[in-house]
Amino acid sequence: MTDAPANTAKQKRSNTTVMLCCVAFVGGMVGMSYAAVPLYRLFCQVTGYNGTTQRVEQASGVILDKTIKVTFDANVSNGLNWEFKPVQRSIEPRIGETVEVMYTATNKSSEPVTGQAIFNVTPMEAAAYFNKIQCFCFTETTLQPGETMEMPVLFFVDPDIASTPETKSIGTITLSYTFYPHETEKPVAALPVDQAGDTGKL
């Protein structure tokens, strides 16, 4: 014969367990949304995922006669009222040559705003050969209302790109940045990138 009280107690415990799991899941998702930029940074730096470039401390000791075209792309999240663009759309440095380019960002809102940028390089095969000595990526950048800031990127393309079978035919590399509101202000995961805007699209 079935013990009804025992079954009822068991069902209540099961329901409580399911409810606690759901609460933990939702809480975890909210936490992940606020941590999107720092987690993306850590994941890309560890794995080299999504065209993540290399960070180096010094310039290349070898400069080839061969040049490579580097184009620059800029995007802004829908949640950030900034104008963001590269000063130059493209350059053609010698492979191994250290060069500096500038991006500019302008706060178009009526209050101070803090943003953070993430980046990638395409084609992805070229990312391991794109060496940045200095850049503004992942740095918390605060702009006052109407303020414009120049943001330098110092980099070189590793000469090995010209001899590796998978990359030696690459003629153009694109460095792309996207600025998001700082994660303490709004959940980054809830702010889709405006892919159709005119903020520095090539």
Side-chain angles (χ1 to χ4, degrees):
M1 190 175 211
T2 303
D3 187 350
N7 284 343
T8 300
K10 184 176 180 180
Q11 183 64 39
K12 286 182 177 180
R13 286 196 299 271
S14 178
N15 290 342
T16 300
T17 300
V18 171
M19 182 184 70
L20 290 175
C21 288
C22 289
V23 169
F25 176 78
V26 171
M29 292 300 292
V30 171
M32 287 287 286
S33 70
Y34 278 92
V37 167
L39 286 176
Y40 175 92
R41 175 185 184 181
L42 178 62
F43 177 72
C44 289
Q45 287 179 337
V46 171
T47 65
Y49 174 74
N50 199 27
T52 302
T53 64
Q54 304 300 305
R55 187 66 182 266
V56 296
E57 300 298 328
Q58 61 184 14
S60 171
V62 177
I63 299 177
L64 306 182
D65 289 333
K66 183 179 179 180
T67 62
I68 189 166
K69 186 175 183 179
V70 182
T71 63
F72 306 101
D73 182 39
N75 303 279
V76 178
S77 156
N78 284 339
L80 192 66
N81 189 16
W82 283 13
E83 181 183 58
F84 175 52
K85 60 186 179 182
V87 173
Q88 295 171 278
R89 297 292 182 177
S90 66
I91 60 174
E92 293 193 28
R94 290 185 294 167
I95 295 175
E97 177 186 5
T98 298
V99 292
E100 182 181 70
V101 297
M102 291 286 183
Y103 281 76
T104 62
T106 301
N107 180 5
K108 299 169 67 177
S109 72
S110 59
E111 58 186 16
V113 179
T114 300
Q116 275 184 303
I118 62 174
F119 65 92
N120 69 1
V121 165
T122 54
M124 291 180 62
E125 295 82 1
Y129 302 91
F130 196 98
N131 294 282
K132 291 193 297 183
I133 300 173
Q134 176 187 352
C135 86
F136 54 86
C137 47
F138 304 119
T139 301
E140 296 175 18
T141 302
T142 301
L143 297 180
Q144 299 302 315
E147 181 183 3
T148 296
M149 180 181 292
E150 288 190 338
M151 301 176 177
V153 182
L154 191 66
F155 72 91
F156 66 89
V157 178
D158 193 313
D160 286 344
I161 196 172
S163 58
T164 304
E166 294 79 13
T167 58
K168 65 181 182 180
S169 62
I170 293 175
T172 301
I173 298 174
T174 298
L175 175 64
S176 179
Y177 286 94
T178 300
F179 253 107
Y180 292 89
H182 185 241
E183 69 271 7
T184 59
E185 298 179 9
K186 292 183 180 181
V188 172
L191 300 170
V193 176
D194 181 5
Q195 297 294 344
D198 59 355
T199 54
K201 276 290 185 182
L202 295 175

